[in-house]
Amino acid sequence: MKFKTLLEAVNFCNSVQYKDIDFQNEYHEFIVDGTSVGAIKNMYIGDIEQYIADRANNLPLFKVTTTTGCGNTTNVKKIVTFADWCNSRTLREHHVATFLSFMREKGCWECLKKWRDELYPIYGCKSEKDRVFLYLERAAAQVFGIRTYGVHLNGYVIDKSVKITASNPIEFSRLRGEQTKMWVAKRSNAPKKTYPGMLDQIVAGGISAGESPQSSLVRECFEEAGGIDINKSIETGKCIPAGTIQYYFEGNKLLGLQPETQYVYDVEMEPSVVPFSVDDEVESFQLLTINEILDNRLLSFEFKPNCLLVVVDFLIRHGFITASNEPEYLNIIDSLHAPLPFPGP
Amino acid sequence: MKFKTLLEAVNFCNSVQYKDIDFQNEYHEFIVDGTSVGAIKNMYIGDIEQYIADRANNLPLFKVTTTTGCGNTTNVKKIVTFADWCNSRTLREHHVATFLSFMREKGCWECLKKWRDELYPIYGCKSEKDRVFLYLERAAAQVFGIRTYGVHLNGYVIDKSVKITASNPIEFSRLRGEQTKMWVAKRSNAPKKTYPGMLDQIVAGGISAGESPQSSLVRECFEEAGGIDINKSIETGKCIPAGTIQYYFEGNKLLGLQPETQYVYDVEMEPSVVPFSVDDEVESFQLLTINEILDNRLLSFEFKPNCLLVVVDFLIRHGFITASNEPEYLNIIDSLHAPLPFPGP
């Protein structure tokens, strides 16, 4: 598979627009305490209704209903909410954990086979200081289609041995793209891994409950990529937070929606530093010139979809992809900053 | 006037959301060849209708109508389109120019008193190679509420005489904010100038018909800020395009909507270079530390509203405003990248 344009490559990941989600036929809106926080694919609803029915002696946990639309059929929406009695953070958290453990034990839902024992927050609660309605198991995030958060680190090297003495802007730009290099990770090919063999940032991962983006980054560096002293890099200003990218993704096999925000960090690395893999997520690291990435890697479907967005954002912020060399510049920037309809932290 | 939070300061400029624009009562949607390209405030409609009536011997230029809403009152919209006969770029351009000159001579519309003899494009045309439906006088952009484009240049200095040897992250961050400085322009106080006395980027301006962002930047540098050799800075990689900011603004006195995209450039300047004012737009330039900007200038309503967004975007990209020190980090980034409903170049 190849992409024809960079916009097409970016939109492979930012593939959903909230206004196009079909809450009449394909999805149920997930609402907590009056606030929309996610979208549940219909395939999960049967099991949820069965859970309610099976446990008829207990109070049902969820309500699955349809809004009337005030006489306007286009506004009719299917929704899932908590039952009225389940009205506190403690109750929601406890009973969702029980529900998900039950579904997992029953062998339901492919995604629950990747159970992490790691909790993700659902934000939007006005009465809690940290704005969290509840925490739930990370593997279930795509069941509910809730917003999730991660960190991605761009590791780059300025190779000063490449001298920039150019006689015209195009030559200059090519030399700059030869001088700047980016470390990319190749994901391991082990079975059951997501996106095996695809290219990734040097370090990336999800932000768990209670973690800040920076503490998440420090943990991920420790777990994934040896050789990078990220604490020292942060302390010396070589690693800086550089904003976020945001997208709304529906993959073919993922069977759920993923509205995601990724906190992006850039670290300028010494040419002498060679990262090495710590855990089994990464097979190898390679150092690519920006020209190699621009010419051969962006449209070739080698990057994991969301990692491509992080690379493109880096190339835009550092002046390698510009309004002069990319006709869809503005649409690409829009697509790196998708509006998400759910509240954040 | 002071802002309470940075999000409030940013949202002063990004003050409109398209979904909230009241096309039943306050605005008319401006549609060209089936494509929505702007929003016209009701105050302009009377004069447009009068122009149609006054020239009854000629074919009327515009149609002012109301959509039926398919039986659903919430979908009723007032719209302005070109009359059917005015169906080519040449016709649209010629007759809009005539119309605007007529309104100007009649003394209508405050904004036409700032006539620039400078043309702005309306994008979205599928049959034209440059996607332009028509060009029209810049001063009329806010009458039609069309999308406009500009360039802003952040000029910054790394003062290496400030040494960074800190014993903790907060101290480190403060020293970094002392080491990095930003040149800001103070707009002149001459009568009839917009935003007199407010702070601005070192160079900024609108992109005219046929200009690229970079050629617009080069022209504006020539016109506004002496001492900056922007061509050399571009050639040596000291000046780089760094993405865009985007907002939807309705000011109190501006009497129209401004959906704008600003192409952002950063230039690292030598400490020895001191810019000086070329035209009468700028009264003076001053070099502020990042700490001074963070502590005293962002909430004080000293920056011209859209220039504040450019500064905040710079501070985010360069790691001075972070998820650790700014609780509304994600909402601010969203607000720097407002989705605009109209097609671009």
Side-chain angles (χ1 to χ4, degrees), chain A residues 72 147 172 176 234-237 240-244 246 263 316-319 322-323 328-330 333-334 337, chain B residues 72 131 147 172 176 234-237 240-244 246 263 316-319 322-323 329-330 333-334 337:
Chain A
N72 174 1
R147 208 173 148 178
F172 169 76
R176 216 180 136 236
I234 290 169
E235 275 165 26
T236 55
I240 62 157
T244 60
Q246 204 159 267
Y263 293 81
I316 287 172
R317 287 185 291 103
H318 290 258
T322 71
E328 296 283 4
Y329 188 65
L330 294 190
I333 293 174
D334 281 348
H337 300 280
Chain B
N72 174 2
R131 307 191 204 180
R147 209 174 146 175
F172 168 76
R176 215 179 137 238
I234 290 168
E235 275 166 24
T236 54
I240 62 157
T244 59
Q246 204 161 267
Y263 294 81
I316 287 172
R317 287 185 292 100
H318 290 259
T322 71
Y329 188 65
L330 294 189
I333 293 174
D334 281 349
H337 300 280

Side-chain angles (χ1 to χ4, degrees), chain A residues 168-318:
Chain A
N168 64 62
I170 292 170
E171 197 185 340
F172 169 76
S173 177
R174 294 298 295 178
L175 284 170
R176 216 180 136 236
E178 211 60 33
Q179 189 188 55
T180 307
K181 298 172 180 177
M182 185 182 264
W183 279 106
V184 296
K186 188 174 185 196
R187 298 169 67 88
S188 60
N189 266 307
K192 290 197 183 174
K193 286 283 188 312
T194 52
Y195 303 101
M198 297 194 90
L199 300 182
D200 202 324
Q201 266 70 54
I202 195 166
V203 170
I207 301 176
S208 302
E211 272 189 330
S212 70
Q214 188 169 311
S215 60
S216 175
L217 176 65
V218 170
R219 177 180 55 73
E220 293 286 350
C221 283
F222 183 75
E223 287 170 11
E224 289 186 359
I228 308 175
D229 188 345
I230 200 68
N231 275 318
K232 192 180 161 204
S233 298
I234 290 169
E235 275 165 26
T236 55
K238 292 278 182 184
C239 177
I240 62 157
T244 60
I245 62 146
Q246 204 159 267
Y247 52 88
Y248 208 149
F249 181 51
E250 182 183 31
N252 280 334
K253 294 179 185 167
L254 287 168
L255 304 171
L257 292 173
Q258 292 181 268
E260 295 199 316
T261 301
Q262 306 291 353
Y263 293 81
V264 176
Y265 289 73
D266 292 347
V267 62
E268 186 184 339
M269 294 165 64
E270 293 301 320
S272 58
V273 173
V274 177
F276 55 89
S277 176
V278 175
D279 64 13
D280 63 353
E281 292 281 325
V282 174
E283 181 186 295
S284 61
F285 291 98
Q286 52 191 315
L287 188 62
L288 302 177
T289 67
I290 296 301
N291 290 341
E292 168 66 12
I293 291 173
L294 281 170
D295 295 347
N296 303 317
R297 307 302 179 115
L298 293 181
L299 304 186
S300 60
F301 202 54
E302 288 175 270
F303 275 102
K304 178 169 173 262
N306 65 347
C307 298
L308 177 93
L309 270 60
V310 176
V311 172
V312 170
D313 173 64
F314 178 90
L315 296 174
I316 287 172
R317 287 185 291 103
H318 290 258

